Structures are given as C-alpha cells and as structure tokens.
DNA sequence: AGCACGCCGACT
DNA sequence: GTCGGCGTGCTC
C-alpha cells in the first residue's frame, strides 16, 4: 500500500510534522509530492501538502485515506518542499505557514461549516429552524442565534455538522463552442435549411471550416460575423456543444511594449557583466555584491545578464522592492523580453496573481520580476537571481514566517548552482562586510552614465533659520532655489521624511494628547478621512472639538503632514503647480503611477512627497531636490537609524540631474553635523561604511554580532512580564558567556491592540545552544498559547517594534 | 486549531 | 444525584 506523508493545515507545534495517510488504489498513480490534498483530520476535513510518497509507515493505528487531490499537478516543486522544511527551522515558523507563503493566497484553503439534517425532525423544527431545507450554513445559524437549539438536536443525533473545504484557486474560464458532428451530417443539416435562414447557413459553413476547433462567441463574431443568437440556435439544434476553456487573466493585456535592444555597455559595465557572466556560464554559485552609484547603469547590466541566462535556456528571478515595482520598471523587462516575463505585484488582484503564478508554474515565463514573495516563484532551472536595492528592509517579512528574501535567494542560488547578484548604491552593512570578508564578490560601478557628476548637496542648519526668525518649513536657501527653478521651468522634488514621525494633536491648555484606547501610542491625524487613526490596531475616531480632559478648545496640530506642507508651499509660491504624493493620494490602485507619469509629462512644477518619491523616479527635467527634514529618521530607537538616513538621503539625491541638466540638492536638518548626513552630502559610501562599522563594533551590533529578538505578549501585563523573565532566566543559564542579552524590556510601544509587549534582544557571535533553547521555549509555550500568551522569535530583526 | 474526554462546583 | 464549567491532550 502506498502512504502519503502530509503536512496538515493546522499551525501548531504538535502538528508541525507529517501525518501518514493511505492512498486509495484509484489515486495511486495520480498523487505526488508537493500536491495539495484534502484529508480527514480529527473529525474534520482540511487541506494538506504531500511531502513524501512512501510504502512504509510507523503509525500503529489505522490510517485514514486521502479524500482527493486539490491540484492536477504538484503546487510545490521538490525544491520548494525542501526549502520550506529548512526555512521553518531557521525562522521559527510552522512548515504549513512556510508552504502557504510560497503560494498565491488563492491556493490557501478556506473552510466552511454547514449543518445537515440526518434524522426526521418534527414539522415545527424543520420549518421553523431549518426553513424547510435539509442544510443550513453555520453563519446563518450564528446570525439567527439558534445555536443552543442546534446543540440539543446534535445531542439527539438528528443533525450533523459538516466541514467543507473550499478550494478558492479557480481558473477563469470562457465558454467555447465546438462541433463533434461529422462533415456529412453537417452537410445534411445545411441542405435541410430554408433558403432564407442565412445566419444558420453561415454558422454551419463556419462550423465545417473549423473542423471541430472550439471558438468563443467573441471569436465567432470576429472571424465569421456570427452573433450570439445564431450560436444559441446551433447549440439547440445539436450542431454545437459548449465547453469551458481556461484563460489567463493578463494584467498587461491592454499594454503595448516596444521591443528594446541591448544598449552598449561602458568599460566598467562590461567588466561587471563579464565577471558575473562567467559564473552563469560555469553554472557556479557565487554571491556578487554589485555596488553602483545611482545612474551607473545597474539595470542595463541586469538586463544583459538575464539575456545571457535566457540564451542558455535557463530562467531568471529579478527581485525589486515593492515600491520600486512601478510600471516604469516593469516596462524595462517587458520591452526587452516580451511576454515571457511574469510580474508578481501586490497591486494585482488575487486572480491575476494566481494566473501569473500558473504561467510561471507551467514554464511559460523565463523571467520573473517581483517583490519579496516572488523569491518563491516556482521556476525551474534558474540561471540567475538578482536582488535590486538589496539594502531595503522590505525584503524582510515582518510577520510569520519572518524570512529575509536575501537568505532565500542565496539558498536557491546554491540549489541551482547559479549566481546571486545583490545590487545597491548603498549596500547594507551586513552585505558590504561580507564582501569585505570575501564571502561575497564585490563588483563596483563607480562612474555615472555619460560621466555626469553627482549632484551638489548643500546642508542647511535649521536651527539657524529658527534663530533668524524663519518659522516656515522652508529655509531661505531652499526658497531661493525653488524660485530660481520655477523661473527656469525646471522641475523640483521635495521630500518629507516621515519615518518616525506622526501628526498628532495636543491640547495647548493642559497638554493632553489624544491616544489610542487599545495601544500606548498617540493617534494620527488623517485629513483625508477627517479622523484620528491608530496605525497599529486600526482604531478610528472623530477629531475632538474640545479637550476631553480640560474642556479647552485650543488644539495644536503637531507633525508636518504633507498636506500642511503643501498649503505652506502653495502660499509661498502661489503660481507653482504642486503634486502631492503620499499614502493619502496613492491609496487607489494605480494612484502612485498616475502621479508619477503626470509629473513626467511636466504637468506640475513641484512634486512633494514622502520617502516613496525616493524610488522609481527618473525624469530628466528635475534639477532640484529638497529634503525638508533630514533628521526625523535619526531619532528612532533602532541601531540602523543612521544607516537608513544615509541610504534615504543618498537615494533621493540621485533623483537630481540625470540627463543634460546638472542637479542640486538641499538638505534641511537640525543635526547638520551628523555623520550620516555629512557622508551623504559627500556621496561617500566608504566613509559612512567605516564610521558606522566602528560604531557597530563598539556597541556590539550587526554585522559584528548576530541578533534575535524574542517578544512575548499577553492581554495581561503581569503575565507577559512574568514569562519574559522566565525566558530570560532560561537563556541566561544556557547561553555562552560572551552572548549579550538586552532586556527584558517593554516593547517600544508597550501596548498594541490591548496586548502588552515585552522583549529581549539576544546578540551573539557563536552560539550553538541558542537555536535549541529557543525551539524548546516555543515548544513549551504551546499550552499557554491557547490562553493568549504569544511568543514570537525574529531572527535578525529589521524593525524593533 | 478544534474537539472529546475528564474531573470538580451549583443546581433541579 | 446531574449538568456543565473549562483544563488537558490528541489529531495519521
């Protein structure tokens, strides 16, 4: 008998292992590793993944049978099955979670409960409770509040609760019409028609010419000018049969892409291309750190490396940060490689995502372009993995499974014996340090395209502006330069650094700040909805008119929202056309792109936005970039705050002067002497790297130490606190003496959604005992989990919330 | 996760 | 005496 080992869809420590199922004889040849299946589990029916087919089981009891497969072909390749297993270990996640994140959300199971009548009911109950039907949905029962009566009936054995698994992954279909009649009989039909039945004659002629090939109604119309009513007649008369044909939802079907050819490479680009190309040709795994200043032509190198891979009959994976995945970016790839490019983008509908996934799965894509989760694209025969802007924190998923796409990329690169290219103008310290230690191979692009100089960056000390009685958000210098560019009809980009910043309101009389009732954080003012919102739990309330504490009416609005800056800017420059880009104006689908392309067409003089403007913006007429507040990101309680500030300033500076016109940057700051700002001004990555490395060394942070963040949360503050101290004690006993623990401390937001957070940050160099100790802590916490005590472990966290 | 089993308090 | 509270343990 054949046995399938199945990972079931129950995320719990006790079920985080394969369960054995008997394969019914009829399915023996049909089931395979990586398939989703429907299985009975503890009185229910749930989804699972087959991880292995075997002829042996250690299970002593009687095996249950697999009910049915949910796919025709395995959803997960052997590679992904293995990856998921290993990943679960390193990110402290359940295997089922890992497998689910590898697939489009549509393939995740949905469960429904229904109540079925199995025994005679008296008329009153049947017509009253069940409304004369033998089945009722669980929701219906809950809504009508009749569960108590149902429990009674259940006990009497008159009803059953059925568990239904819904496979949401449905391909979109269109109706097609074909004929299975012989030509002879069609000819007979033709002869028996009245002379006046022109439409039917035309239809029969068409059918005969198609030779049984199915066509949609639309195709009949286009090719033969036969309308739907004739087709209906054809079906009625039995000439045509209808069937469903699967179609792919193509998010780009209405777009034309002009074919582009490889551009000539500079000497430096050629050298970079050859270094990395050698590894492609030798089918050798190697990690490259491609460090190139903005405008050095990294993208063209990527495109040509991918072309090389395709030439070898292999496939390529191209990762970009979500925010950079603009249609502009997609264009580059679609134009070079045509429709064999699949794009995985969060703006796609779930159906479109599923179809792009299927396109890859079928082997119809040679190039996959996408954000973080595309690293799990089911491509076979990988020839290269490229990760652009590798320093971006969005490559780390901040919910379970907390994986970093960079690590997954390297794993897959090893598996496929292919190179991994990490590209950035401002590499993460971790990657740059690895390059220094020759773990990665450093490839540099130092020159800018067309030898264009990097923009001149001026720093304005905002403290001086304040002393000189300038209370505006714009320094005199920035105002002058804006005036100048407006006159010259050149474009301006202004960035508001919102990181670590929020707009809140405070009572001027008593100092009261409106806070979230569920979280220990002030509510943020949202002008678009005219409400106060909590960014952590979603709580929303009216903007108060009077202070709840002192009944005063004098509120002060803190925080510089883009909207407020826009008003200020417009007052200063009444004739300037300003475009604002922030979460409020880009919320709608395609809003981001619409604003960018309007700016690209020159429909505005000034683009004002948050960090999202630092990326994917490449317009020749921009000659001035202003950073309104460079330092708000410096004050965050995060050891990476300097690194992030440096990266952001460098990136936004790169927006200035990309073509014939040279650019200028004005950075306004209250900390003008901060090294992150000064090094960004000088475009000096190396200087920043060395300074930051020595600080990290002194403080004992990555890349000198590894980190793991353990977070405990509970609705009861005392319980969470007790647990974190217990964990602290266990770890103290077990870990190496040179391992450092910070904490236990309260979470940087102590309460979120009515849960209290406590955490410990473990910093270690060599630590073989940490992993088993943490696993054990997780295992043992399982019981408490049910009572609302959650433990989360984040290996190499990037956000410290 | 969700369900059955099992052991103690408040009732007909 | 029983009903039902939820703590405990299992699911192929």
């Amino acid at each position: 008998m054949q046995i399938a080992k199945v990972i079931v869809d129950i995320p719990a420590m006790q079920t985080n292992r394969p369960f054995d199922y008997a394969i019914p004889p009829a399915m023996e040849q049909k089931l395979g590793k990586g398939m989703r299946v429907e299985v009975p589990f503890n009185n229910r029916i749930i989804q699972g993944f087959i991880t292995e087919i075997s002829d042996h089981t250690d299970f002593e009891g009687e095996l249950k049978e697999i009910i049915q497969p949910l796919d025709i072909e395995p959803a997960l390749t052997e590679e992904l099955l293995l990856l998921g297993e290993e990943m679960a270990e390193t990110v402290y996640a359940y295997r089922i979670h890992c497998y689910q994140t590898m697939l489009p959300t549509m393939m995740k199971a949905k469960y429904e409960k229904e109540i079925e009548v199995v025994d005679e009911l008296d008329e009153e109950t049947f017509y009253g409770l069940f409304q004369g039907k033998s089945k009722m949905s669980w929701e219906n029962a809950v809504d009508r509040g009749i569960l108590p009566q149902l429990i009674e009936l259940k006990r009497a054995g008159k009803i059953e609760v059925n568990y239904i698994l819904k496979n949401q992954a449905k391909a979109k279909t269109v109706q097609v019409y074909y004929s299975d009649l012989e030509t002879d009989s069609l000819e007979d039909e033709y002869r028996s028609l009245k002379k006046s039945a022109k439409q039917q004659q035309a239809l029969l002629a068409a059918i005969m010419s198609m030779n049984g090939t199915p066509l949609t109604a639309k195709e009949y119309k286009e090719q033969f000018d036969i309308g739907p009513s004739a087709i209906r007649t054809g079906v009625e008369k039995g000439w045509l049969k209808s069937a469903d044909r699967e179609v792919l939802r193509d998010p780009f079907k209405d777009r034309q892409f002009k074919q582009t050819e490889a551009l000539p490479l500079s000497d430096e680009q050629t050298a970079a291309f050859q270094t990395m190309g050698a590894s492609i040709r030798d089918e050798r795994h190697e990690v490259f750190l491609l460090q190139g200043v903005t405008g050095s032509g990294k993208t063209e190198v990527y495109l040509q490396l991918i072309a090389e891979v395709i030439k070898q009959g292999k496939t390529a994976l191209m990762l970009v940060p979500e925010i950079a995945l603009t249609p502009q970016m997609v264009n580059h790839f679609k134009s070079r490689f045509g429709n064999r490019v699949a794009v995985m983008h969060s703006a796609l509908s779930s159906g479109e995502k599923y179809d792009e996934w299927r396109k890859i799965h079928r082997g119809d894509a040679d190039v996959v372009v996408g954000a973080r989760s595309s690293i799990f694209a089911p491509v076979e025969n990988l020839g290269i993995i490229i990760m652009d802007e590798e320093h971006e924190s969005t490559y780390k998923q901040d919910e379970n499974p907390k994986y970093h796409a960079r690590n997954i990329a390297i794993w897959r690169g090893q598996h496929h014996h292919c190179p991994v290219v990490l590209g950035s103008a401002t590499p993460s310290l971790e990657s740059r340090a690895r390059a220094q230690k020759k773990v990665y191979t450093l490839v540099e692009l130092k020159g800018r395209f067309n030898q264009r100089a990097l923009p001149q960056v001026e720093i304005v000390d905002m403290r001086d502006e304040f002393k000189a009685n300038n209370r505006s958000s714009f320094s005199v210098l920035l105002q002058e330069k804006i005036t100048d560019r407006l006159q010259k009809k050149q474009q301006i980009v202004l960035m508001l650094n919102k990181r670590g910043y929020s707009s809140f309101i405070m009572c001027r009389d008593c100092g009261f700040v409106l806070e979230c009732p569920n979280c220990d954080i002030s509510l943020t003012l949202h002008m678009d909805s005219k409400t106060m919102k909590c960014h952590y739990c979603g709580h929303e309330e009216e903007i108060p008119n009077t202070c709840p504490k002192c009944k005063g009416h004098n509120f002060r609005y803190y925080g510089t929202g883009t909207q407020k800056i826009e008003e200020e800017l417009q007052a200063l420059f009444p004739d300037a056309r300003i475009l604002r880009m922030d979460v409020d104006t880009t919320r709608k689908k395609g809003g981001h792109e619409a604003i960018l392309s309007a700016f690209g067409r020159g429909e505005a003089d000034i683009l004002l936005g948050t960090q999202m403007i630092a990326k994917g913006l490449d317009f020749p007429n921009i000659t001035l970039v202003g950073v309104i507040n460079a330092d708000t990101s410096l004050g965050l309680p995060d050891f990476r705050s300097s690194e992030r500030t440096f990266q952001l300033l460098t990136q936004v500076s790169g927006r200035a002067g990309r073509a014939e016109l040279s650019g200028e940057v004005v950075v306004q700051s209250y900390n003008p002497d901060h090294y992150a700002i000064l090094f960004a001004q000088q475009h000096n990555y190396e200087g920043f790297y060395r300074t930051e490395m020595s600080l990290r060394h002194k403080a004992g942070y990555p890349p000198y130490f590894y980190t793991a963040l353990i977070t405990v949360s509970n609705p009861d503050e005392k319980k969470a606190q007790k647990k974190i101290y217990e964990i602290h004690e266990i770890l103290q006993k077990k870990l190496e003496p040179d391992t450092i623990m910070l904490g236990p401390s309260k979470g940087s937001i102590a309460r979120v959604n009515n849960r209290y957070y406590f955490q410990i940050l473990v910093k270690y160099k060599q630590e073989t005992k940490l992993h088993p100790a943490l696993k054990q802590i997780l295992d043992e916490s399982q019981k408490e989990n049910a009572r609302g005590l959650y433990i989360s472990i984040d290996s190499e966290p990037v956000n410290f919330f």
Side-chain angles (χ1 to χ4, degrees):
Chain A
M1 183 175 56
Q2 288 225 302
I3 312 289
K5 314 239 173 223
V6 175
I7 294 284
V8 293
D9 186 12
I10 290 172
M13 226 65 212
Q14 298 93 320
T15 51
N16 193 30
R17 62 183 174 87
F19 284 82
D20 292 354
Y21 284 89
I23 298 177
M27 285 181 217
E28 264 189 15
Q29 298 309 311
K30 293 173 186 110
L31 296 181
K33 280 171 86 163
M35 267 189 187
R36 296 182 306 151
V37 286
E38 202 174 315
V39 290
F41 192 74
N42 198 13
N43 285 330
R44 283 177 292 159
I45 292 164
I46 57 171
Q47 193 183 93
F49 289 91
I50 299 183
T51 57
E52 217 181 304
I53 304 275
S54 166
D55 47 17
H56 159 264
T57 177
D58 290 328
F59 185 63
E60 316 248 297
E62 197 177 333
L63 291 181
K64 290 187 181 170
E65 283 190 340
I66 285 185
I67 296 168
Q68 62 165 336
L70 289 165
D71 298 300
I72 297 164
E73 280 172 82
L76 295 169
T77 58
E78 294 219 11
E79 180 202 0
L80 292 176
L81 278 174
L82 182 65
L83 172 58
E85 191 179 342
E86 293 189 12
M87 179 173 127
E89 280 293 305
T90 56
V91 303
Y92 304 95
Y94 303 119
R95 281 174 74 177
I96 188 69
H97 274 162
C98 295
Y99 291 144
Q100 277 165 350
T101 40
M102 291 175 167
L103 296 173
T105 38
M106 260 197 154
M107 294 175 80
K108 196 175 149 172
K110 268 253 161 60
Y111 299 100
E112 274 177 23
K113 280 201 260 189
E114 75 174 16
I115 298 145
E116 189 181 5
V117 179
V118 291
D119 197 1
E120 250 347 77
L121 293 179
D122 60 77
E123 278 198 11
E124 199 194 319
T125 322
F126 188 64
Y127 289 101
L129 277 187
F130 282 84
Q131 297 162 326
K133 293 191 191 93
S134 66
K135 283 181 185 172
M136 147 161 66
S137 79
W138 184 265
E139 280 81 51
N140 185 7
V142 172
D143 290 348
R144 290 164 55 208
I146 55 169
L147 284 182
Q149 290 99 304
L150 292 175
I151 290 170
E152 220 164 288
L153 290 169
K154 174 84 187 0
R155 218 167 268 151
K158 301 220 181 252
I159 59 167
E160 290 277 2
V161 179
N162 297 331
Y163 294 89
I164 308 161
L165 191 164
K166 289 242 160 164
N167 187 5
Q168 301 182 85
K170 286 274 182 286
K172 189 179 167 184
T173 58
V174 288
Q175 278 232 305
V176 287
Y177 303 92
Y178 67 97
S179 178
D180 57 358
L181 297 179
E182 299 290 326
T183 316
D184 290 352
S185 34
L186 286 169
E187 277 170 357
D188 288 344
E189 293 282 346
Y190 193 92
R191 277 188 292 272
S192 68
L193 284 175
K194 283 188 194 142
K195 277 215 183 81
S196 58
K198 294 281 181 233
Q199 274 284 309
Q200 294 187 39
Q201 286 171 16
L203 177 63
L204 276 174
I207 292 172
M208 284 185 273
S209 75
M210 287 319 297
N211 243 331
T213 313
L215 291 182
T216 62
K218 197 169 161 226
E219 286 163 341
Y220 267 109
K221 182 81 197 159
E222 282 166 4
Q223 293 179 28
F224 304 103
D225 196 29
I226 289 167
S229 62
I231 291 174
R232 214 175 307 124
T233 316
V235 174
E236 275 164 24
K237 295 202 170 183
W239 308 338
L240 285 174
K241 293 224 161 25
S242 72
D244 287 334
R245 181 206 286 171
E246 272 195 21
V247 287
L248 287 181
R249 287 154 272 216
D250 180 2
F252 302 99
K253 64 172 180 297
D254 300 326
R255 276 252 252 324
Q256 294 292 315
F257 296 98
K258 227 183 282 153
Q259 173 85 29
T260 60
E261 296 298 326
L263 302 171
L265 297 181
S266 69
D267 292 350
E268 223 179 23
Q269 283 174 312
T270 307
F273 171 76
Q274 278 170 356
T275 308
M276 297 184 278
S279 165
I280 296 173
R281 280 186 296 278
D282 300 349
E283 308 196 324
R284 174 164 42 84
H285 171 66
E286 189 172 353
V287 182
F288 296 98
L289 178 61
L290 178 62
Q291 183 173 356
V293 295
T294 36
S296 60
K298 287 193 290 291
T299 308
E300 187 58 32
V301 176
Y302 298 153
L303 288 167
Q304 298 200 18
L305 285 170
I306 292 171
E308 188 70 18
V309 163
I310 293 175
K311 214 190 292 170
Q312 293 204 354
K314 295 191 168 191
T315 57
L317 245 175
M318 174 81 214
L319 295 193
V320 293
E322 184 69 65
I323 195 160
L325 195 54
T326 57
Q328 240 181 348
M329 183 81 191
V330 172
N331 261 333
H332 275 133
F333 289 86
K334 285 266 182 187
S335 307
R336 191 69 61 88
F337 305 113
N339 61 4
R340 296 202 51 92
V341 177
V343 180
M344 292 291 223
H345 190 257
S346 72
L348 302 181
S349 71
S350 53
E352 286 169 337
K353 275 186 207 151
Y354 175 55
D355 284 354
E356 287 295 289
W357 180 88
R358 283 198 301 150
K359 176 176 172 177
I360 302 165
H361 190 247
R362 280 201 319 253
D364 285 351
D366 303 320
V367 184
V368 176
V369 183
R372 180 180 63 227
S373 64
S374 318
I375 193 60
F376 299 115
V379 271
E380 314 241 24
N381 206 11
L382 266 174
I384 196 167
I385 303 173
I386 300 171
M387 198 168 165
D388 194 28
E389 317 239 27
E390 68 87 32
H391 61 277
E392 276 297 321
S393 61
T394 52
Y395 282 124
K396 170 85 193 244
Q397 178 149 65
D398 52 16
E399 52 199 59
N400 277 329
K402 296 176 177 168
Y403 68 91
H404 198 299
R406 194 197 289 134
N407 298 339
I408 308 294
I410 293 169
W411 190 99
R412 295 196 76 182
Q414 279 166 348
H415 186 91
H416 287 273
H417 311 288
C418 78
V420 173
V421 176
L422 308 175
S424 178
T426 51
S428 62
L429 286 224
E430 285 88 339
S431 293
R432 184 59 183 73
R434 271 179 207 147
Q436 193 178 323
K437 288 172 81 180
K438 312 274 187 219
V439 181
Y440 300 164
T441 309
L442 184 64
V443 179
E444 287 183 276
L445 294 176
K446 289 177 177 162
R448 279 188 113 186
F449 206 62
N450 296 337
Q451 270 79 51
R452 183 136 306 281
L454 284 159
Q456 192 77 31
V457 180
E458 288 186 68
I459 299 172
V460 179
D461 187 342
M462 291 304 277
R463 293 170 303 190
D464 293 344
E465 298 286 319
F466 194 79
K467 274 182 221 147
N469 235 350
N470 176 12
R471 296 296 151 94
S472 132
S473 306
F474 301 92
S475 60
V476 174
L477 181 75
L478 186 54
Q479 291 187 30
E480 281 169 12
K481 293 208 184 284
I482 293 173
T483 310
D484 174 65
R485 299 310 140 100
L486 288 174
Q487 263 165 20
K488 289 181 181 157
K489 303 256 177 269
Q490 293 171 358
Q491 285 180 301
I492 302 154
V493 167
L494 296 177
M495 186 183 77
L496 190 67
N497 187 356
K498 288 252 282 188
R499 208 184 256 284
Y501 225 86
S502 65
S503 336
F504 61 99
I505 62 172
M506 187 177 91
C507 173
R508 285 180 197 236
D509 299 327
C510 69
F512 177 83
V513 172
L514 193 62
E515 288 186 347
C516 176
N518 310 319
C519 314
D520 284 347
I521 192 136
S522 54
L523 292 176
T524 304
L525 180 67
H526 278 250
M527 284 315 289
D528 59 332
S529 56
K530 304 259 190 299
T531 53
M532 305 295 299
K533 279 186 197 166
C534 173
H535 285 190
Y536 289 85
C537 73
H539 171 83
E540 199 171 344
E541 59 184 78
E542 297 280 301
I543 301 172
N545 289 319
T546 52
C547 172
K549 201 171 148 199
C550 74
K551 310 290 173 213
H553 293 273
N554 300 314
F555 277 110
R556 169 157 184 180
Y557 297 82
Y558 274 95
T560 326
T562 35
Q563 208 156 34
K564 236 182 112 218
I565 291 275
E566 185 187 8
E567 285 166 22
E568 207 181 321
L569 190 64
Q570 194 75 75
L572 284 169
F573 306 100
D575 300 328
R577 296 166 303 161
I578 303 167
L579 262 180
R580 180 164 60 94
M581 186 153 111
D582 55 22
V583 274
D584 292 340
T585 59
T586 54
R587 199 188 319 278
K588 322 178 229 1
K589 189 171 172 177
H592 189 258
E593 166 63 6
I595 292 175
L596 283 185
S597 60
F599 192 63
R601 287 192 301 270
E603 287 171 20
D605 309 304
I606 304 175
L607 178 66
L608 170 69
T610 52
Q611 20 274 58
M612 62 175 75
I613 60 169
K615 282 197 187 64
L617 186 74
D618 191 2
F619 301 122
N621 200 29
I622 301 169
T623 58
L624 177 64
V625 167
V627 181
I628 312 285
N629 52 343
D631 26 29
T632 48
S633 55
L634 283 174
L636 290 173
D638 185 328
F639 68 86
R640 286 191 180 89
S641 64
S642 300
E643 186 182 353
R644 297 238 171 90
T645 304
F646 175 80
Q647 286 163 344
L648 185 63
L649 291 181
T650 304
Q651 202 156 53
V652 75
S653 301
R655 302 301 126 210
R658 289 201 123 196
E660 289 71 37
L661 304 164
S662 65
E664 262 186 297
V665 179
V666 175
V667 173
Q668 304 188 152
S669 170
Y670 286 93
N671 295 286
D673 305 323
H674 194 284
Y675 66 98
I677 295 177
L678 291 174
F679 282 124
Q681 176 189 30
Q682 297 152 17
H683 308 288
N684 185 355
Y685 178 85
E686 282 307 306
F688 174 78
Y689 171 66
R690 273 191 233 110
T691 306
E692 183 70 12
M693 282 295 270
S694 89
L695 288 170
R696 299 275 181 97
H697 183 67
K698 276 188 208 127
Y701 278 112
Y704 292 98
F705 278 80
Y706 298 110
T707 52
L709 185 70
I710 302 149
T711 310
V712 170
S713 73
N714 194 281
D716 181 341
E717 188 172 9
K718 289 264 156 4
K719 284 185 185 157
Q721 196 170 24
K722 185 163 170 272
K723 189 69 195 176
I724 198 82
Y725 277 97
E726 274 173 40
I727 293 172
H728 187 256
E729 205 170 317
I730 295 171
L731 290 179
Q732 207 145 42
K733 277 187 202 136
K734 292 197 175 177
L735 301 184
E736 304 289 344
D738 64 340
T739 291
I740 301 164
M741 274 195 281
L742 301 184
S745 58
K746 285 191 174 185
S748 62
I749 298 158
R751 185 180 54 132
V752 176
N753 221 349
N754 285 321
R755 301 185 67 83
Y756 289 86
Y757 285 79
F758 286 89
Q759 56 192 27
I760 297 171
L761 183 68
V762 184
K763 302 194 290 181
Y764 59 101
K765 286 204 163 173
Q766 275 246 280
E767 188 59 86
T768 47
K769 294 166 198 147
L770 180 67
H771 184 74
L774 290 178
K775 278 209 71 145
Q776 196 192 337
I777 287 167
L778 274 182
D779 274 8
E780 287 167 1
S781 76
Q782 187 65 38
K783 283 189 207 96
E784 294 151 297
N785 208 325
R787 271 171 268 139
L789 189 108
Y790 298 155
I791 298 182
S792 142
I793 297 175
D794 191 348
S795 169
E796 299 302 323
V798 294
N799 283 315
F800 287 81
F801 295 123

